[in-house]
Amino acid sequence: MSIVRRIRDITVATLNERLEKAEDPVRMIDQFLWSTREEIIAAEKLYQQYMNHSGQLKSQWLSAEQQRERREQQAYTALKAGEESLARMALHEKASCEERSTQYRELYEQSRQNTLDLEEQLRQLRSEYQTVYDKREYYVARMESLKLQQRMNQRMQNGVGDGGHPGTVFRRMEDRISDMEHEARSLRDIRRAGTGLGDQIGRSVGSAIEQELEELKRKLKKEGWSS
């Protein structure tokens, strides 16, 4: 189990999967960076505590080792002087020092190993932080591109919507003018048709009058009148 308490609700392993589905990936990255930074701070504090503790254990181990060596030398000196009881007492204290030396050495080695493990975790956390921070820069740029694209789309929609595009406007103007021209031609044709009809009617009426006049002349002639 990690000696650093995990306080992040997401990890690098799941971050990439969530980013593509997130509505605001930058916010998610900021949350990850914040929690990772908090974890780094906690790990650095714990690392410093382990370093201090390891130093104390090493000092106690070396002190017990020095006492063991000193008691061994005292036992040798006492035995050399014929003081066997003193030598035996020194050897007894030597055994006690040796036991403490072994105990402190084991504690120091365990603490030192934990310190190395924590150091590796710190290295990984810092690496993760930097990697995700670099990814944040990419997503910030990506989100900015998206916002600009949305603004451009909105601008184009406002300009083009409801027939606002120049091409659409000109087409509608062309259709309107064509309709007006067609209407004008129709009226002109109607007028021309009306004028031609009047002339035709006039000619028909004149012809009838001439015929009627000729008939009256023939009648007068029969009656002996001359024109």
Side-chain angles (χ1 to χ4, degrees):
M1 179 181 294
S2 171
I3 57 178
V4 178
R5 182 172 60 90
R6 309 297 289 184
I7 61 176
R8 289 179 294 180
D9 59 348
I10 56 175
T11 63
V12 173
T14 59
L15 179 63
N16 290 330
E17 298 178 1
R18 296 190 182 187
L19 283 178
E20 295 301 328
K21 301 177 182 178
E23 294 182 2
D24 190 349
V26 176
R27 182 178 180 181
M28 178 174 290
I29 289 176
D30 286 342
Q31 178 184 356
F32 177 88
L33 290 176
W34 177 85
S35 60
T36 302
R37 180 57 183 164
E38 290 295 312
E39 189 171 353
I40 289 175
I41 292 175
E44 288 175 341
K45 182 177 180 180
L46 183 59
Y47 177 79
Q48 188 60 45
Q49 292 173 343
Y50 260 106
M51 288 291 293
N52 295 336
H53 183 59
S54 296
Q56 293 174 356
L57 291 174
K58 184 176 182 179
S59 178
Q60 291 172 313
W61 164 42
L62 294 178
S63 176
E65 186 65 20
Q66 290 175 355
Q67 290 181 5
R68 183 193 67 78
E69 293 176 355
R70 186 162 53 249
R71 292 295 182 265
E72 183 178 5
Q73 183 61 36
Q74 289 174 348
Y76 177 77
T77 301
L79 187 60
K80 188 176 180 181
E83 299 290 340
E84 186 174 338
S85 59
L86 291 177
R88 186 177 289 105
M89 184 180 299
L91 289 174
H92 180 74
E93 291 181 359
K94 173 195 171 185
S96 178
C97 292
E98 189 172 4
E99 182 180 2
R100 289 201 309 274
S101 174
T102 300
Q103 291 172 342
Y104 282 124
R105 186 183 72 251
E106 291 176 351
L107 288 175
Y108 167 75
E109 290 175 350
Q110 180 181 356
S111 179
R112 179 59 180 168
Q113 184 59 51
N114 287 341
T115 303
L116 293 175
D117 293 343
L118 183 55
E119 186 175 347
E120 175 61 20
Q121 290 185 23
L122 267 171
R123 186 194 65 78
Q124 293 178 359
L125 285 172
R126 290 167 179 156
S127 177
E128 288 179 1
Y129 185 91
Q130 187 61 47
T131 299
V132 176
Y133 181 82
D134 294 340
K135 188 181 291 290
R136 180 187 188 278
E137 296 301 302
Y138 162 73
Y139 274 98
V140 167
R142 186 173 174 182
M143 289 293 290
E144 183 64 21
S145 297
L146 177 60
K147 291 178 182 178
L148 292 174
Q149 181 69 43
Q150 291 173 341
R151 289 172 59 186
M152 184 180 71
N153 293 342
Q154 184 65 33
R155 180 178 178 83
M156 293 179 64
Q157 182 178 359
N158 292 338
V160 176
D162 299 328
H165 193 281
T168 303
V169 172
F170 284 125
R171 283 194 297 272
R172 291 188 177 183
M173 289 176 61
E174 182 68 25
D175 293 341
R176 178 58 178 164
I177 292 174
S178 297
D179 291 341
M180 293 173 66
E181 290 176 343
H182 178 71
E183 182 178 352
R185 285 194 299 269
S186 298
L187 290 174
R188 183 189 61 194
D189 294 341
I190 292 174
R191 291 192 186 97
R192 287 179 178 178
T195 301
L197 181 60
D199 293 341
Q200 183 178 0
I201 293 174
R203 287 194 296 270
S204 298
V205 172
S207 177
I209 291 174
E210 290 297 326
Q211 290 178 0
E212 187 175 356
L213 181 61
E214 289 297 326
E215 290 178 358
L216 287 175
K217 286 180 179 181
R218 285 193 295 271
K219 183 177 181 181
L220 288 173
K221 188 175 180 179
K222 288 179 180 180
E223 295 175 356
W225 292 87
S226 60
S227 56

